[in-house]
């Protein structure tokens, strides 16, 4: 009898297979030992596994969100790229990030006075506190405040409130869809203080280059400066994920950090360093030609002469949920 084809994520023969239409024709397999939690929140399916070689793993709607073995490469970079690009980050907002990993990294900065996290899914927060204590430790910091709610609605009406806003969202095909549109980025821009910066989960250059290109085009019509960096992480699709960094004002250079980690900070990190910060913006040629065609080859000096050329563009949600992101004339 022919073996039944697996068409969605699940456990087969002791292996968790991540199958999703967002990356057709490929799948990630992780050998699991046990299932620690399985439930459905108001927004998505939530599962936590103990794996053979990657420690504890959380999935949302079948998509791997973090594993204990490699999560630091994502959480350190999405937090420290913007934080070390700001001279004195005091008031921080994290949208999404309910597992706590970004908040953990934010709290490594002594300059931080307040950090508020808003995630739409209480189940993710609760199960991270139970099973992912290596991530959720930041929740206990007295400078932190954790809210359950829609990130877009939370930021609406906020004006010049935060030095850094970090958007740790899942992929746009799900409850995080509202965090990938023009409306959201305009709200983020308004919520930033003068000199403020934001960093968003920026998808995979191997899979979503048109999406990334259009996200950057949209943001160049809203923010002063926009740039793209990336990190390597084995359990994310194609082993790579990017970050879109935007500044409220023009004249920001993300490619060289404004500060260096202290000895204590560096000792606590497993991926980020000043050297990695600079290297993260050096893209392979196929991506550079699409995302930064005016950047001369072999240099990391940002040329912002093209910033603001897409002010006439308008982002449509239809394109986002279709797996790509585009602008259309207003």
């Amino acid at each position: 009898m022919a073996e039944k084809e697996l068409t969605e994520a699940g456990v087969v023969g002791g292996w968790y297979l991540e199958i999703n239409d967002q990356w057709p024709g490929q799948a990630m397999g992780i050998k699991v030992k046990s299932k620690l939690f399985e439930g459905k929140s108001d927004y998505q399916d939530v599962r936590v596994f103990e794996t053979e070689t990657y420690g504890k793993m959380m999935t949302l709607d079948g998509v791997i969100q973090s594993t204990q073995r490699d999560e630091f490469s994502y959480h350190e970079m999405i937090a420290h790229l913007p934080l070390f690009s700001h001279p004195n980050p005091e008031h921080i907002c994290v949208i999404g990030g309910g597992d706590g990993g970004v908040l953990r990294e934010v709290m490594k900065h002594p300059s931080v006075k307040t950090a508020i996290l808003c995630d739409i899914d209480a189940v993710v927060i609760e199960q991270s506190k139970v099973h992912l204590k290596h991530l959720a430790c930041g929740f206990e910091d007295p400078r932190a405040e954790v809210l359950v709610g829609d990130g877009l609605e939370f930021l609406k009406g906020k004006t010049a409130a935060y030095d850094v806003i970090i958007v740790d969202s899942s992929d746009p095909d799900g409850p995080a869809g509202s965090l990938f549109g023009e409306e959201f980025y305009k709200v983020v821009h308004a919520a930033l203080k003068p000199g403020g910066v934001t960093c968003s989960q920026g998808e995979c250059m191997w899979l979503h280059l048109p999406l990334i290109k259009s996200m950057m085009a949209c943001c160049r019509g809203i923010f002063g400066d926009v740039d793209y960096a990336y990190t390597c992480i084995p359990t994310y699709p194609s082993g790579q994920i990017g970050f879109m960094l935007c500044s409220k004002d023009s004249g920001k250079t993300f490619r060289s950090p404004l500060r260096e980690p202290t000895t204590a900070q560096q000792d606590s990190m497993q991926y980020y360093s000043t050297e990695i910060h600079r290297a993260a913006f050096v893209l392979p040629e196929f991506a550079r030609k699409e995302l930064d065609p005016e950047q001369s080859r072999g240099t990391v000096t940002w040329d912002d002469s093209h910033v603001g050329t897409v002010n006439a563009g308008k982002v449509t949600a239809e394109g986002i949920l279709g797996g790509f992101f585009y602008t259309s004339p207003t």
Side-chain angles (χ1 to χ4, degrees):
M1 175 182 286
E3 184 177 350
K4 183 179 179 180
E5 181 181 3
L6 185 67
T7 58
E8 61 182 22
V11 178
V12 177
W15 289 81
Y16 184 84
L17 296 181
E18 182 192 55
I19 299 174
N20 193 284
D21 290 340
Q22 295 180 91
W23 35 91
Q26 66 184 63
M28 180 69 183
I30 301 288
K31 191 167 181 60
V32 298
K33 293 197 294 187
S34 62
K35 185 187 299 178
L36 302 177
F37 174 82
E38 182 174 14
K40 187 172 181 62
S41 73
D42 292 338
Y43 303 97
Q44 55 202 341
D45 292 315
V46 182
R47 297 179 186 177
V48 182
F49 297 91
E50 183 72 50
T51 72
E52 288 281 351
T53 58
Y54 278 83
K56 293 181 173 65
M57 176 178 74
M58 174 177 278
T59 69
L60 300 179
D61 282 342
V63 177
I64 296 170
Q65 299 300 304
S66 74
T67 75
Q68 201 167 355
R69 179 174 172 179
D70 64 3
E71 54 81 14
F72 59 84
S73 66
Y74 173 77
H75 290 128
E76 289 184 16
M77 292 294 277
I78 197 173
H80 299 310
L81 284 173
L83 287 166
F84 281 109
S85 295
H86 192 284
N88 186 37
E90 294 182 335
H91 301 287
I92 315 301
C93 177
V94 180
I95 299 298
D99 58 17
V102 172
L103 197 60
R104 178 194 68 194
E105 297 303 316
V106 168
M107 294 313 181
K108 293 178 180 179
H109 289 255
S111 64
V112 172
K113 295 179 178 178
T114 63
I116 187 163
L117 181 147
C118 182
D119 192 284
I120 200 168
D121 200 330
V123 175
V124 173
I125 297 172
E126 292 164 1
Q127 293 305 313
S128 293
K129 290 179 177 179
V130 173
H131 297 294
L132 307 180
K133 297 183 186 297
H134 60 288
L135 297 178
C137 52
F139 292 142
E140 306 304 320
D141 193 293
R143 297 170 292 170
E145 180 181 0
V146 179
L147 301 177
V148 176
D150 181 272
L152 174 59
E153 293 302 317
F154 170 76
L155 283 178
K156 282 182 177 178
K158 300 285 193 305
T159 303
Y162 303 107
D163 297 305
V164 177
I165 297 175
I166 301 170
V167 186
D168 178 19
S169 66
S170 52
D171 295 303
D173 187 13
S178 66
L179 306 184
F180 283 80
E182 183 181 43
E183 179 188 9
F184 177 72
Y185 290 123
K186 287 182 176 179
V187 168
V188 169
H189 182 274
L192 285 172
K193 291 186 175 187
V197 298
T198 182
C199 181
S200 302
Q201 187 266 101
E203 298 297 331
C204 175
M205 70 178 79
W206 293 97
L207 299 169
H208 306 122
L209 204 54
L211 164 63
I212 298 167
K213 186 175 182 179
S214 292
M215 285 171 62
M216 294 185 70
C218 170
C219 287
R220 283 175 178 145
I222 299 170
F223 294 93
D225 290 303
V226 179
D227 212 337
Y228 184 84
Y230 73 98
T231 191
C232 299
I233 176 166
T235 55
Y236 280 5
S238 296
Q240 178 270 327
I241 197 165
F243 310 103
M244 190 167 63
L245 292 105
C246 308
S247 62
K248 180 154 188 164
D249 309 311
S250 298
K252 168 67 67 177
T253 300
F254 288 109
R255 299 188 176 199
S256 291
L258 297 182
R259 298 174 293 112
E260 294 191 0
T262 64
T263 300
Q265 286 175 318
Q266 194 63 73
D267 287 346
S268 72
M269 298 172 187
Q270 300 180 74
Y271 195 95
Y272 179 89
S273 67
T274 298
E275 293 77 16
I276 283 289
H277 183 121
R278 295 191 180 102
F281 293 90
V282 181
L283 305 181
E285 279 296 278
F286 78 91
R288 184 197 64 79
K289 289 173 182 176
E290 290 295 317
L291 303 181
D292 199 7
E294 296 188 21
Q295 177 69 30
S296 60
R297 187 175 182 178
T299 178
V300 294
T301 302
W302 173 252
D303 175 9
D304 64 355
S305 61
H306 59 296
V307 171
T309 58
V310 294
N311 286 324
K314 181 178 180 181
V315 175
T316 65
E318 178 184 356
I320 298 169
L321 298 181
F324 56 94
F325 188 99
Y326 60 90
T327 59
S328 58
T330 54

